[in-house]
Amino acid sequence: LGCVAPALFPAALAAAGPRVGAYAAAGLAYVAMHAVVMVLAARGIVVLDPGLLGVLVALTLVFAAAENFWRADGNGRAKLAGAFGAVHGAALGMALARAMPADERAAALPGYVVGVSAAQIGLFVVTFLLVLPFCTEGRSTPRRVVSGVLVAMGLIDVVFPG
């Protein structure tokens, strides 16, 4: 699955239920922390083992989706989403640092951050609209199915990284 876990992360948050405010707060926390840590990692200030980071990214999906089994709603998930956004940002920033020479990276980084952040906000909106019909209040079975599929996909990524 590789880079699929970050793309599926908004679905794990949306599967918690139809709390638009809670989902928006979690999405904004995720995007903000992702952007900050991505810049720090791209500049070489945050450096982690890429193998460990790949496992951590997959585990963020597993945890966020599994949490839907014991949480009744998405309230209070902004801190968790922010922390997980930092993990995902570190992974993307370090990949950018490996892929581009420092001088080119410095010039491209502002546009890259704006573009990635805009794409993530769009992904959060689209994901919420797609997942919401299946995860409304009183419909715990679809919510559990969506969450279970996401847990399984994250675990596959842990066991078979990259």
Side-chain angles (χ1 to χ4, degrees), residues 5-161:
L8 294 174
F9 187 78
L13 294 177
R19 305 264 192 279
V20 176
Y23 182 74
L28 290 174
Y30 175 91
V31 171
M33 289 303 296
H34 187 282
V36 168
V37 177
M38 181 175 63
V39 169
L40 294 174
R43 297 195 58 176
I45 297 168
V46 172
V47 179
L48 300 167
D49 176 77
L52 173 64
L53 200 51
V55 170
L56 289 175
V57 166
L59 287 175
T60 64
L61 175 62
V62 171
F63 185 86
E67 189 180 37
N68 293 332
F69 288 101
W70 66 81
R71 286 186 73 116
D73 58 40
N75 291 333
R77 294 182 92 179
K79 290 178 186 173
L80 177 74
F84 289 172
V87 172
H88 295 197
L92 189 56
M94 287 177 53
L96 182 62
R98 287 190 305 271
M100 278 183 141
D103 57 334
E104 290 177 27
R105 188 171 58 242
L109 195 55
Y112 194 76
V113 170
V114 169
V116 167
S117 297
Q120 287 175 330
I121 290 169
L123 180 63
F124 268 88
V125 169
V126 169
T127 300
F128 187 73
L129 295 173
L130 291 174
V131 174
L132 181 64
F134 302 103
C135 300
T136 57
E137 288 185 65
R139 297 187 70 196
S140 63
T141 300
R143 183 177 76 155
R144 287 190 173 112
V145 169
V146 168
S147 297
V149 168
L150 294 172
V151 166
M153 293 179 81
L155 288 174
I156 289 170
D157 212 12
V158 169
V159 176
F160 304 105

